[in-house]
Amino acid sequence: MSHVEWFAEGKRQMRVCNACRYCEGFCAVWRAIEWRRDYQDGDLAYFANLCHDCKECVFACPFAPPHEFGVNPPRLFAALRQASYRKYVWPGSFARVLQGGWGFMWAVIGACILLCVISLATKGRVFGTAGGSFYAVLSEVVLETVFGALALWLVCGWGLGAWRFWRDIRTPGSSAVQVRDILQAVRYALSLRHLGGTEDEPLSRWRKWFHHGVFYGFLLDFASTCLAAYESHILHKQAPYPVASPVVLLGIIGGVGLLVGCAGLLFVKVGVNRDTVDEGAYRSGRAFLWSMLLVAASGLLLLVLRKTSVMGPVLVIHLSFVAALFFTAPYSKFGHFIYRCLALVRYAEEERTHRLSGH
């Protein structure tokens, strides 16, 4: 179905759900549904990104397939999330190409060729470089320019998508967001309060812990990168850093967390009930996990081989994975945490408003 058809189908299913209310109290999604009497496209995008895909509702639903009402919220919300990634980014045509695994791999190949050409043009040495000196392959200026531009691309892409999404999920009667709403949303996000599991899919109970591994692993790797920049530009301590340094230790712990978390989530996906998933979203989510896993695995491999003669090609491969991840980030599932966090802020604001009004 097209995204227009999915939004129309979503409105039909939500009206059935609001009339039934059997799932009342299951998670934040159902409270947000009950606070409305009718639904706009922005409401559907809000519900979809508020959903943590635990699937508890569909296994409890008396109107789930094969019932003629065909209520299947997990599949519906997965398709709507995928549609929202295309709807809110610019240009949207990029999303259709880059959301799948092949888009990421083409980006990897392009980045690898580009980095090799830049290395040769700046008298770097991709092959035969040993001793852990990354700057012998690609100079510090080149690395900062290339990845600075990619970071700007990522931030602008996420920022535009976030602005469009936030504008869409707000209503004329929405109250102003307060600091306590943001803090509440942060607590929900960091604890994954609404991500549970179901006895119908036993492996799903592990999703929260694998998700924590991916999220906190990425944060530790980001902290490692920021600390390395501080040591290089402020303290004037140049890489490579010893294994016992905070920069490397944070990178190792974060890389292992990413590796375990991504591998675990991929394993959980193998046993998922395919009747409850949207195939496009399933493929996109799997491609994103593979991209993160490849970044983590190549980074850890680079650490092991950084003083050997194969350091150069391993560095280029690792940086190609990172560059492709950054380039595809606004269009892939990597951006889902932006929409999820904004949906949680909106929910915290609505929760506070309804609590004060006594509803």
Side-chain angles (χ1 to χ4, degrees):
M1 287 194 287
S2 68
H3 74 276
V4 174
E5 292 172 321
W6 273 118
F7 279 105
E9 171 64 11
K11 293 171 187 177
R12 182 192 71 82
Q13 290 195 30
M14 293 305 96
R15 292 184 184 112
V16 174
C17 291
N18 204 9
C20 171
R21 297 198 176 189
Y22 183 81
C23 293
E24 184 176 11
F26 270 27
C27 72
V29 175
W30 303 104
R31 297 189 69 193
I33 289 170
E34 291 161 13
W35 289 332
R36 290 160 172 78
R37 291 295 175 265
D38 202 4
Y39 308 101
Q40 306 302 317
D41 287 359
D43 296 323
L44 271 295
Y46 167 45
F47 302 154
N49 285 282
L50 194 59
C51 170
H52 284 60
D53 200 29
C54 71
K55 299 184 175 66
E56 186 178 6
C57 56
V58 74
F59 292 119
C61 180
F63 304 119
H67 192 279
E68 60 181 327
F69 286 178
V71 175
N72 193 339
R75 182 169 180 261
L76 169 71
F77 291 151
L80 289 174
R81 281 193 296 274
Q82 193 74 357
S84 69
Y85 304 155
R86 293 192 298 269
K87 180 180 179 181
Y88 298 115
V89 297
W90 182 90
S93 56
F94 270 35
R96 286 187 287 273
V97 176
L98 296 176
Q99 280 184 340
W102 287 110
F104 174 77
M105 292 312 299
W106 280 118
V108 169
I109 293 170
C112 190
I113 294 172
L114 178 63
L115 291 175
C116 287
V117 169
I118 291 175
S119 177
L120 293 173
T122 55
K123 299 181 179 180
R125 296 179 61 193
V126 176
F127 297 96
T129 304
S133 179
F134 298 160
Y135 299 144
V137 181
L138 290 159
S139 69
E140 185 176 9
V141 173
V142 167
L143 289 173
E144 289 178 350
T145 301
V146 171
F147 286 93
L150 284 169
L152 183 62
W153 166 269
L154 181 153
V155 170
C156 289
W158 277 351
L160 178 61
W163 176 73
R164 287 176 166 179
F165 176 69
W166 183 251
R167 183 185 60 182
D168 220 16
I169 67 174
R170 302 283 284 168
T171 60
S174 299
S175 66
V177 172
Q178 299 181 5
V179 173
R180 55 179 166 173
D181 300 329
I182 297 173
L183 294 177
Q184 181 72 297
V186 170
R187 282 192 287 269
Y188 287 153
L190 293 180
S191 65
L192 291 177
R193 177 188 171 189
H194 304 298
L195 179 58
T198 171
E199 293 181 0
D200 296 87
E201 290 183 349
L203 288 176
S204 66
R205 297 180 181 274
W206 286 89
R207 283 183 64 228
K208 176 181 286 191
W209 305 110
F210 290 139
H211 196 291
H212 277 318
V214 174
F215 179 71
Y216 289 107
F218 179 81
L219 286 184
L220 288 174
D221 280 345
F222 181 72
S224 172
T225 302
C226 292
L227 185 57
Y230 173 78
E231 295 212 1
S232 175
H233 296 289
I234 305 300
L235 301 182
H236 303 293
K237 295 180 181 179
Q238 296 300 314
Y241 302 106
V243 175
S245 70
V247 172
V248 178
L249 289 177
L250 284 174
I252 292 174
I253 298 171
V256 171
L258 275 174
L259 206 62
V260 173
C262 290
L265 288 174
L266 284 167
F267 183 67
V268 169
K269 279 183 174 291
V270 172
V272 73
N273 185 329
R274 299 297 281 269
D275 292 332
T276 64
V277 300
D278 173 70
E279 286 300 318
Y282 180 85
R283 290 192 298 270
S284 177
R286 188 174 57 186
F288 168 67
L289 289 173
W290 273 111
S291 67
M292 293 287 282
L293 188 146
L294 289 170
V295 168
S298 60
L300 293 172
L301 182 63
L302 178 61
L303 177 65
V304 173
L305 301 176
R306 66 177 179 168
K307 294 187 178 180
T308 70
S309 59
V310 298
M311 181 274 290
V314 174
L315 173 65
V316 170
I317 291 171
H318 172 63
L319 292 179
S320 298
F321 285 139
V322 176
L325 183 69
F326 276 35
F327 181 72
T328 59
Y331 310 97
S332 72
K333 196 176 178 180
F334 199 0
H336 88 286
F337 84 93
I338 299 290
Y339 302 123
R340 174 69 50 75
C341 288
L342 289 175
L344 288 171
V345 170
R346 174 75 169 121
Y347 174 74
E349 174 257 313
E350 286 195 307
E351 185 180 41
R352 172 182 54 80
T353 302
H354 284 83
R355 183 171 59 248
L356 291 175
S357 65
H359 293 159

